[in-house]
Amino acid sequence: MKFSCARVAAVIGALLALSAHGEDRVATARKQRMKDVTALFAAAGTPWPTDQLYVRAFKHERELEVWAGPKDGPLVKVRTYPFCAASGELGPKRRQGDLQVPEGFYTLDLFNPRSNYHLSIRVSYPNAADRHHQQAGVPLGGDIFVHGDCVSIGCIAIQDGPIEELYLMALDTRARTKRDAPIHIFPRRLDAAGMAALEKEAGTDAQRLALWKSLQPAYTLFEENPRVPRTSVNARTGAYEVKPAAKAGRAER
């Protein structure tokens, strides 16, 4: 197939325009929201830029929390953003097209400045636990994001102003630390009352209850000491395993 110089130029021009549009969207957010981000951190009593960012999401309460602080110290809550849309029900995501928001321990690993939903940040689903529980021949799906625009088919949607703030927080912190921020997605707050409600919710679904019980230690440890717990996946069972955050000055193992 032959392409004329004019057609090639048009394609390149369109791609450059798309790229510029994405960059402009982030630049506009930076211009309009950076003072707000700085003010949020000042009000929380923690410096900006930060050495650590941690996000917790609670599906039942429809809340997204942002925590920050020093690399080896306790974190403080910077902001709570309400969900404005989320699909599915309580429980993990197990297949493509089930409209479920995942539950588990992930990171924010990719930034999309040209999202159809204003701005979006990808959640690293599926992880090793999700893949362990995958049914043969059933695709797990992917492309789970925290984004704006208040629509959801398995993602967490917050309003456009909040996603601009979160996008800048996560983007600038990754540029500073060279690490993806963790995001832990819980079915609900996993205190005693929350677990009791989930036991009732699970009924005879032993697998779903087992997942929720494996998530609880991370919730409890952080509530007791606001430092991000260490999480891993048992290669044999696919269950989450949780340990307290490493002590200050010691490398995590």
Side-chain angles (χ1 to χ4, degrees):
M1 181 180 294
K2 295 182 179 180
F3 295 94
S4 68
C5 291
R7 184 174 181 183
V8 171
V11 171
I12 292 174
L15 292 173
L16 289 174
L18 285 171
S19 177
H21 181 65
E23 291 174 359
D24 287 347
R25 200 177 295 180
V26 176
T28 299
R30 190 174 297 281
K31 181 178 179 180
Q32 295 179 345
R33 299 290 175 182
M34 207 64 242
K35 287 185 179 179
D36 295 334
V37 169
T38 303
L40 286 171
F41 277 75
T46 191
W48 174 261
T50 188
D51 291 326
Q52 190 174 180
L53 196 75
Y54 172 49
V55 180
R56 299 199 301 178
F58 301 97
K59 290 167 59 172
H60 174 76
E61 291 84 358
R62 297 174 67 86
E63 291 181 338
L64 187 87
E65 295 180 349
V66 181
W67 294 72
K71 180 180 179 181
D72 293 325
L75 306 185
V76 297
K77 190 192 301 183
V78 174
R79 186 73 188 267
T80 299
Y81 296 112
F83 293 10
C84 62
S87 59
E89 58 186 19
L90 300 188
K93 181 174 181 63
R94 290 289 183 249
R95 61 179 176 82
Q96 183 175 340
D98 62 6
L99 303 184
Q100 285 289 93
V101 175
E103 294 173 6
F105 306 134
Y106 304 95
T107 61
L108 297 172
D109 69 349
L110 183 143
F111 296 83
N112 183 6
R114 295 181 292 277
S115 172
N116 291 329
Y117 307 100
H118 192 50
L119 295 170
S120 61
I121 316 170
R122 188 175 67 187
V123 175
S124 61
Y125 167 90
N127 63 17
D130 300 315
R131 288 189 290 270
H132 180 92
H133 293 289
Q134 182 178 11
Q135 298 179 25
V138 178
L140 289 171
D143 291 334
I144 302 298
F145 288 81
V146 180
H147 60 63
D149 207 28
C150 292
V151 294
S152 173
I153 50 173
C155 298
I156 296 172
I158 59 179
Q159 293 181 336
D160 288 355
I163 193 59
E164 290 176 356
E165 293 178 358
L166 179 62
Y167 193 98
L168 294 174
M169 291 178 197
L171 181 68
D172 289 1
T173 301
R174 187 168 78 166
R176 174 182 173 86
T177 65
K178 312 304 180 188
R179 297 189 303 272
D180 295 332
I183 177 169
H184 293 178
I185 305 177
F186 298 98
R188 62 181 301 153
R189 298 186 184 276
L190 300 182
D191 52 18
M195 285 305 303
L198 289 177
E199 289 179 5
K200 183 177 180 180
E201 171 88 15
T204 59
D205 191 339
Q207 287 190 347
R208 191 161 53 146
L209 183 58
L211 167 66
W212 291 337
K213 287 183 175 180
S214 76
L215 300 177
Q216 186 182 24
Y219 175 85
T220 301
L221 283 170
F222 188 79
E223 290 293 299
E224 295 172 348
N225 179 17
R227 299 183 63 219
V228 183
R230 293 172 288 170
T231 64
S232 59
V233 176
N234 186 301
R236 183 177 60 84
T237 66
Y240 288 110
E241 297 181 343
V242 179
K243 296 180 181 179
K247 292 182 179 180
R250 293 179 58 184
E252 295 188 4
R253 297 182 179 179

